[in-house]
Short mmCIF file of all heavy atoms in Angstrom, two decimals:
data_model
loop_
_atom_site.label_atom_id
_atom_site.label_comp_id
_atom_site.label_asym_id
_atom_site.label_seq_id
_atom_site.Cartn_x
_atom_site.Cartn_y
_atom_site.Cartn_z
N ASP A 182 15.56 -0.61 6.56
CA ASP A 182 15.65 -2.03 5.94
C ASP A 182 16.98 -2.55 6.45
O ASP A 182 18.09 -2.10 6.18
CB ASP A 182 15.64 -1.82 4.46
CG ASP A 182 15.85 -3.22 3.80
OD1 ASP A 182 15.73 -4.33 4.46
OD2 ASP A 182 16.04 -3.13 2.59
N SER A 183 16.88 -3.71 7.16
CA SER A 183 18.14 -4.35 7.63
C SER A 183 18.94 -4.91 6.63
O SER A 183 20.16 -5.17 6.81
CB SER A 183 17.65 -5.47 8.64
OG SER A 183 16.91 -6.39 7.97
N ARG A 184 18.41 -5.10 5.34
CA ARG A 184 19.17 -5.71 4.30
C ARG A 184 19.88 -4.69 3.47
O ARG A 184 20.58 -4.93 2.58
CB ARG A 184 18.31 -6.55 3.40
CG ARG A 184 17.79 -7.73 4.20
CD ARG A 184 16.78 -8.58 3.29
NE ARG A 184 16.12 -9.58 4.07
CZ ARG A 184 14.82 -9.69 4.24
NH1 ARG A 184 14.12 -8.97 3.51
NH2 ARG A 184 14.36 -10.61 4.92
N LYS A 185 19.46 -3.38 3.64
CA LYS A 185 20.06 -2.32 2.85
C LYS A 185 20.82 -1.38 3.76
O LYS A 185 20.21 -0.94 4.69
CB LYS A 185 18.95 -1.59 2.05
CG LYS A 185 19.37 -0.54 1.18
CD LYS A 185 18.20 0.10 0.55
CE LYS A 185 18.59 1.23 -0.43
NZ LYS A 185 17.45 1.96 -0.97
N GLU A 186 22.01 -1.10 3.53
CA GLU A 186 22.84 -0.29 4.33
C GLU A 186 22.26 1.14 4.60
O GLU A 186 22.31 1.85 3.68
CB GLU A 186 24.29 -0.30 3.82
CG GLU A 186 24.99 -1.60 3.93
CD GLU A 186 26.41 -1.38 3.49
OE1 GLU A 186 27.02 -0.42 3.61
OE2 GLU A 186 26.95 -2.35 2.89
N GLY A 187 21.82 1.35 5.86
CA GLY A 187 21.49 2.70 6.12
C GLY A 187 20.31 3.34 5.41
O GLY A 187 19.99 4.45 5.57
N GLY A 188 19.56 2.49 4.70
CA GLY A 188 18.46 3.09 3.81
C GLY A 188 17.13 2.81 4.45
O GLY A 188 16.85 1.98 5.22
N THR A 189 16.17 3.58 3.94
CA THR A 189 14.79 3.42 4.27
C THR A 189 14.05 3.35 2.94
O THR A 189 14.41 3.91 1.96
CB THR A 189 14.14 4.46 5.19
OG1 THR A 189 14.29 5.74 4.56
CG2 THR A 189 14.89 4.43 6.70
N HIS A 190 12.73 2.77 3.04
CA HIS A 190 12.08 2.68 1.90
C HIS A 190 10.64 3.38 1.98
O HIS A 190 10.13 3.41 3.18
CB HIS A 190 11.73 1.17 1.55
CG HIS A 190 12.89 0.45 1.06
ND1 HIS A 190 13.37 0.48 -0.24
CD2 HIS A 190 13.82 -0.39 1.72
CE1 HIS A 190 14.42 -0.27 -0.37
NE2 HIS A 190 14.71 -0.68 0.81
N ASN A 191 10.18 4.05 1.08
CA ASN A 191 8.93 4.65 0.96
C ASN A 191 7.81 3.67 1.05
O ASN A 191 8.12 2.64 0.47
CB ASN A 191 8.83 5.53 -0.32
CG ASN A 191 7.64 6.27 -0.48
OD1 ASN A 191 6.58 5.63 -0.61
ND2 ASN A 191 7.82 7.58 -0.53
N LEU A 192 6.71 3.88 1.72
CA LEU A 192 5.64 2.91 1.80
C LEU A 192 5.16 2.65 0.39
O LEU A 192 4.65 1.51 0.20
CB LEU A 192 4.56 3.37 2.79
CG LEU A 192 3.68 4.55 2.44
CD1 LEU A 192 2.31 3.94 1.81
CD2 LEU A 192 3.44 5.33 3.69
N PHE A 193 5.15 3.55 -0.46
CA PHE A 193 4.59 3.30 -1.83
C PHE A 193 5.55 2.49 -2.57
O PHE A 193 5.15 1.57 -3.48
CB PHE A 193 4.29 4.64 -2.62
CG PHE A 193 3.12 5.39 -1.91
CD1 PHE A 193 3.44 6.66 -1.32
CD2 PHE A 193 1.97 4.79 -1.83
CE1 PHE A 193 2.38 7.28 -0.67
CE2 PHE A 193 0.95 5.49 -1.14
CZ PHE A 193 1.14 6.79 -0.57
N GLU A 194 6.85 2.58 -2.37
CA GLU A 194 7.83 1.73 -2.97
C GLU A 194 7.65 0.37 -2.50
O GLU A 194 7.68 -0.67 -3.28
CB GLU A 194 9.29 2.31 -2.62
CG GLU A 194 10.42 1.43 -3.26
CD GLU A 194 11.74 1.85 -2.83
OE1 GLU A 194 11.84 2.77 -1.91
OE2 GLU A 194 12.74 1.36 -3.43
N ALA A 195 7.48 0.18 -1.18
CA ALA A 195 7.24 -1.08 -0.64
C ALA A 195 5.99 -1.81 -1.21
O ALA A 195 6.01 -2.96 -1.53
CB ALA A 195 7.13 -0.96 0.88
N ALA A 196 4.92 -1.00 -1.37
CA ALA A 196 3.72 -1.55 -1.88
C ALA A 196 3.92 -2.01 -3.35
O ALA A 196 3.44 -3.08 -3.79
CB ALA A 196 2.58 -0.45 -1.86
N ALA A 197 4.61 -1.20 -4.18
CA ALA A 197 4.83 -1.54 -5.58
C ALA A 197 5.62 -2.82 -5.65
O ALA A 197 5.30 -3.70 -6.47
CB ALA A 197 5.58 -0.35 -6.26
N VAL A 198 6.67 -2.98 -4.94
CA VAL A 198 7.51 -4.13 -4.91
C VAL A 198 6.74 -5.40 -4.47
O VAL A 198 6.71 -6.45 -5.11
CB VAL A 198 8.77 -3.96 -4.12
CG1 VAL A 198 9.54 -5.32 -3.90
CG2 VAL A 198 9.71 -2.88 -4.69
N TYR A 199 5.91 -5.15 -3.37
CA TYR A 199 5.02 -6.21 -2.76
C TYR A 199 4.10 -6.76 -3.72
O TYR A 199 3.96 -7.95 -4.04
CB TYR A 199 4.45 -5.71 -1.47
CG TYR A 199 3.58 -6.74 -0.82
CD1 TYR A 199 4.17 -7.75 0.01
CD2 TYR A 199 2.21 -6.84 -0.99
CE1 TYR A 199 3.33 -8.59 0.62
CE2 TYR A 199 1.40 -7.67 -0.44
CZ TYR A 199 1.88 -8.60 0.47
OH TYR A 199 1.17 -9.60 1.10
N VAL A 200 3.31 -5.88 -4.37
CA VAL A 200 2.34 -6.29 -5.32
C VAL A 200 2.89 -6.87 -6.58
O VAL A 200 2.41 -7.84 -7.04
CB VAL A 200 1.38 -5.04 -5.76
CG1 VAL A 200 0.50 -5.39 -6.87
CG2 VAL A 200 0.60 -4.63 -4.54
N SER A 201 3.94 -6.28 -7.12
CA SER A 201 4.54 -6.83 -8.27
C SER A 201 5.13 -8.33 -8.04
O SER A 201 5.05 -9.25 -8.82
CB SER A 201 5.55 -6.01 -8.88
OG SER A 201 6.59 -5.77 -8.01
N ALA A 202 5.70 -8.47 -6.75
CA ALA A 202 6.21 -9.78 -6.43
C ALA A 202 5.10 -10.80 -6.21
O ALA A 202 5.20 -11.89 -6.53
CB ALA A 202 7.09 -9.55 -5.03
N ARG A 203 4.01 -10.30 -5.61
CA ARG A 203 2.81 -11.25 -5.58
C ARG A 203 2.31 -11.65 -6.94
O ARG A 203 1.95 -12.76 -7.06
CB ARG A 203 1.66 -10.55 -4.75
CG ARG A 203 1.83 -10.21 -3.33
CD ARG A 203 1.62 -11.43 -2.46
NE ARG A 203 0.34 -12.16 -2.76
CZ ARG A 203 -0.80 -12.05 -2.08
NH1 ARG A 203 -0.89 -11.13 -1.17
NH2 ARG A 203 -1.84 -12.77 -2.45
N ALA A 204 2.34 -10.71 -7.92
CA ALA A 204 1.87 -11.09 -9.19
C ALA A 204 2.74 -12.09 -9.85
O ALA A 204 2.26 -12.95 -10.62
CB ALA A 204 1.87 -9.78 -10.10
N THR A 205 3.96 -12.13 -9.59
CA THR A 205 4.98 -13.09 -10.18
C THR A 205 5.32 -14.23 -9.22
O THR A 205 6.16 -14.96 -9.59
CB THR A 205 6.19 -12.35 -10.64
OG1 THR A 205 6.88 -11.74 -9.47
CG2 THR A 205 6.02 -11.32 -11.65
N ASP A 206 4.62 -14.26 -8.06
CA ASP A 206 4.81 -15.29 -7.06
C ASP A 206 6.31 -15.38 -6.64
O ASP A 206 6.86 -16.50 -6.53
CB ASP A 206 4.28 -16.57 -7.59
CG ASP A 206 4.06 -17.61 -6.53
OD1 ASP A 206 3.82 -17.18 -5.38
OD2 ASP A 206 4.19 -18.81 -6.76
N ASP A 207 6.96 -14.29 -6.37
CA ASP A 207 8.30 -14.20 -6.00
C ASP A 207 8.40 -14.07 -4.46
O ASP A 207 8.31 -12.90 -3.89
CB ASP A 207 9.01 -13.00 -6.69
CG ASP A 207 10.46 -12.89 -6.36
OD1 ASP A 207 10.95 -13.55 -5.33
OD2 ASP A 207 11.17 -12.13 -6.96
N GLN A 208 8.41 -15.10 -3.68
CA GLN A 208 8.29 -15.08 -2.29
C GLN A 208 9.37 -14.37 -1.58
O GLN A 208 9.18 -13.71 -0.53
CB GLN A 208 8.10 -16.51 -1.72
CG GLN A 208 7.91 -16.55 -0.16
CD GLN A 208 6.52 -16.01 0.09
OE1 GLN A 208 5.53 -16.33 -0.62
NE2 GLN A 208 6.38 -15.19 1.10
N ASP A 209 10.61 -14.49 -2.17
CA ASP A 209 11.68 -13.66 -1.53
C ASP A 209 11.53 -12.21 -1.58
O ASP A 209 11.74 -11.45 -0.57
CB ASP A 209 13.13 -14.01 -2.28
CG ASP A 209 13.50 -15.39 -2.01
OD1 ASP A 209 13.03 -16.03 -0.92
OD2 ASP A 209 14.24 -16.00 -2.90
N ARG A 210 11.00 -11.63 -2.67
CA ARG A 210 10.72 -10.22 -2.80
C ARG A 210 9.50 -9.82 -1.95
O ARG A 210 9.49 -8.76 -1.42
CB ARG A 210 10.43 -9.76 -4.28
CG ARG A 210 11.63 -9.82 -5.09
CD ARG A 210 12.70 -8.78 -4.74
NE ARG A 210 12.32 -7.47 -5.33
CZ ARG A 210 12.90 -6.38 -5.03
NH1 ARG A 210 13.83 -6.37 -4.16
NH2 ARG A 210 12.40 -5.25 -5.42
N ILE A 211 8.49 -10.68 -1.83
CA ILE A 211 7.36 -10.43 -0.95
C ILE A 211 7.87 -10.28 0.49
O ILE A 211 7.47 -9.32 1.13
CB ILE A 211 6.35 -11.62 -1.05
CG1 ILE A 211 5.67 -11.69 -2.49
CG2 ILE A 211 5.31 -11.48 0.08
CD1 ILE A 211 4.89 -12.90 -2.64
N ASP A 212 8.67 -11.19 0.86
CA ASP A 212 9.22 -11.13 2.29
C ASP A 212 10.08 -9.88 2.45
O ASP A 212 9.95 -9.23 3.51
CB ASP A 212 10.11 -12.36 2.63
CG ASP A 212 9.17 -13.63 2.64
OD1 ASP A 212 7.91 -13.47 2.75
OD2 ASP A 212 9.78 -14.73 2.45
N GLU A 213 10.86 -9.51 1.50
CA GLU A 213 11.76 -8.37 1.55
C GLU A 213 10.91 -7.10 1.70
O GLU A 213 11.14 -6.29 2.59
CB GLU A 213 12.64 -8.33 0.34
CG GLU A 213 13.67 -7.13 0.41
CD GLU A 213 14.52 -7.16 -0.92
OE1 GLU A 213 14.41 -8.00 -1.82
OE2 GLU A 213 15.34 -6.11 -0.97
N ALA A 214 10.05 -6.88 0.79
CA ALA A 214 9.17 -5.77 0.84
C ALA A 214 8.37 -5.59 2.09
O ALA A 214 8.10 -4.53 2.65
CB ALA A 214 8.22 -5.71 -0.43
N SER A 215 7.86 -6.75 2.56
CA SER A 215 7.11 -6.71 3.87
C SER A 215 7.85 -6.26 5.05
O SER A 215 7.28 -5.77 5.98
CB SER A 215 6.61 -8.23 4.16
OG SER A 215 5.76 -8.65 3.21
N GLY A 216 9.25 -6.36 4.95
CA GLY A 216 10.01 -5.83 6.06
C GLY A 216 10.45 -4.52 6.03
O GLY A 216 11.08 -3.89 6.86
N TRP A 217 10.14 -3.83 4.94
CA TRP A 217 10.64 -2.36 4.70
C TRP A 217 9.84 -1.41 5.51
O TRP A 217 10.42 -0.40 5.94
CB TRP A 217 10.50 -1.96 3.20
CG TRP A 217 11.46 -2.67 2.35
CD1 TRP A 217 12.63 -3.41 2.72
CD2 TRP A 217 11.55 -2.65 0.95
NE1 TRP A 217 13.31 -3.86 1.63
CE2 TRP A 217 12.69 -3.37 0.55
CE3 TRP A 217 10.70 -2.09 -0.04
CZ2 TRP A 217 13.02 -3.63 -0.80
CZ3 TRP A 217 11.03 -2.31 -1.35
CH2 TRP A 217 12.17 -3.07 -1.74
N VAL A 218 8.51 -1.67 5.63
CA VAL A 218 7.57 -0.71 6.43
C VAL A 218 6.65 -1.54 7.40
O VAL A 218 6.69 -2.84 7.27
CB VAL A 218 6.75 0.14 5.43
CG1 VAL A 218 7.54 1.04 4.61
CG2 VAL A 218 5.93 -0.65 4.60
N SER A 219 6.00 -0.94 8.17
CA SER A 219 5.11 -1.57 9.10
C SER A 219 4.01 -2.21 8.39
O SER A 219 3.68 -1.80 7.22
CB SER A 219 4.54 -0.57 10.12
OG SER A 219 3.63 0.28 9.54
N PRO A 220 3.37 -3.27 8.79
CA PRO A 220 2.25 -4.05 8.17
C PRO A 220 1.14 -2.94 7.88
O PRO A 220 0.61 -3.04 6.64
CB PRO A 220 1.80 -4.99 9.17
CG PRO A 220 2.98 -5.35 10.00
CD PRO A 220 3.70 -3.95 10.17
N GLU A 221 0.86 -1.99 8.71
CA GLU A 221 -0.19 -1.02 8.50
C GLU A 221 0.06 -0.20 7.33
O GLU A 221 -0.77 0.15 6.48
CB GLU A 221 -0.46 -0.23 9.77
CG GLU A 221 -0.98 -1.02 10.99
CD GLU A 221 0.22 -1.63 11.76
OE1 GLU A 221 1.40 -1.35 11.52
OE2 GLU A 221 -0.20 -2.31 12.76
N ALA A 222 1.37 0.28 7.27
CA ALA A 222 1.73 1.20 6.16
C ALA A 222 1.77 0.39 4.86
O ALA A 222 1.32 0.99 3.87
CB ALA A 222 3.18 1.72 6.50
N LEU A 223 2.11 -0.82 4.88
CA LEU A 223 2.09 -1.62 3.68
C LEU A 223 0.67 -1.86 3.18
O LEU A 223 0.39 -1.75 2.03
CB LEU A 223 2.85 -3.03 3.88
CG LEU A 223 2.91 -3.91 2.77
CD1 LEU A 223 3.66 -3.27 1.50
CD2 LEU A 223 3.60 -5.25 3.05
N SER A 224 -0.23 -2.10 4.10
CA SER A 224 -1.63 -2.27 3.75
C SER A 224 -2.17 -0.85 3.17
O SER A 224 -2.89 -0.92 2.14
CB SER A 224 -2.37 -2.62 5.00
OG SER A 224 -3.74 -2.73 4.75
N PHE A 225 -1.81 0.22 3.82
CA PHE A 225 -2.24 1.44 3.21
C PHE A 225 -1.75 1.67 1.81
O PHE A 225 -2.41 2.00 0.81
CB PHE A 225 -1.87 2.59 4.14
CG PHE A 225 -2.10 4.00 3.53
CD1 PHE A 225 -3.39 4.47 3.66
CD2 PHE A 225 -1.12 4.77 2.90
CE1 PHE A 225 -3.74 5.69 3.02
CE2 PHE A 225 -1.43 5.91 2.36
CZ PHE A 225 -2.71 6.51 2.46
N GLY A 226 -0.45 1.38 1.57
CA GLY A 226 0.24 1.46 0.23
C GLY A 226 -0.40 0.63 -0.75
O GLY A 226 -0.68 1.06 -1.92
N VAL A 227 -0.67 -0.67 -0.46
CA VAL A 227 -1.31 -1.58 -1.36
C VAL A 227 -2.77 -1.10 -1.69
O VAL A 227 -3.13 -1.15 -2.85
CB VAL A 227 -1.36 -3.00 -0.76
CG1 VAL A 227 -2.21 -3.94 -1.57
CG2 VAL A 227 0.03 -3.51 -0.64
N SER A 228 -3.44 -0.60 -0.76
CA SER A 228 -4.81 -0.18 -0.99
C SER A 228 -4.81 1.00 -1.84
O SER A 228 -5.57 1.29 -2.85
CB SER A 228 -5.46 0.32 0.36
OG SER A 228 -6.74 0.86 0.14
N GLU A 229 -3.85 2.05 -1.69
CA GLU A 229 -3.65 3.22 -2.53
C GLU A 229 -3.26 2.84 -3.90
O GLU A 229 -3.81 3.32 -4.89
CB GLU A 229 -2.65 4.11 -1.96
CG GLU A 229 -2.49 5.39 -2.68
CD GLU A 229 -3.85 6.36 -2.60
OE1 GLU A 229 -4.56 6.19 -1.76
OE2 GLU A 229 -3.92 7.13 -3.51
#
Side-chain angles (χ1 to χ4, degrees):
D182 178 13
S183 60
R184 297 179 189 124
K185 185 178 176 185
E186 291 183 30
T189 59
H190 291 276
N191 178 298
L192 69 98
F193 296 116
E194 179 183 13
V198 170
Y199 179 82
V200 169
S201 61
R203 290 281 312 267
T205 59
D206 200 26
D207 183 348
Q208 189 62 47
D209 291 336
R210 289 293 282 169
I211 291 169
D212 294 341
E213 182 180 1
S215 296
W217 290 349
V218 295
S219 70
E221 296 85 3
L223 184 59
S224 177
F225 174 79
V227 169
S228 177
E229 186 65 23

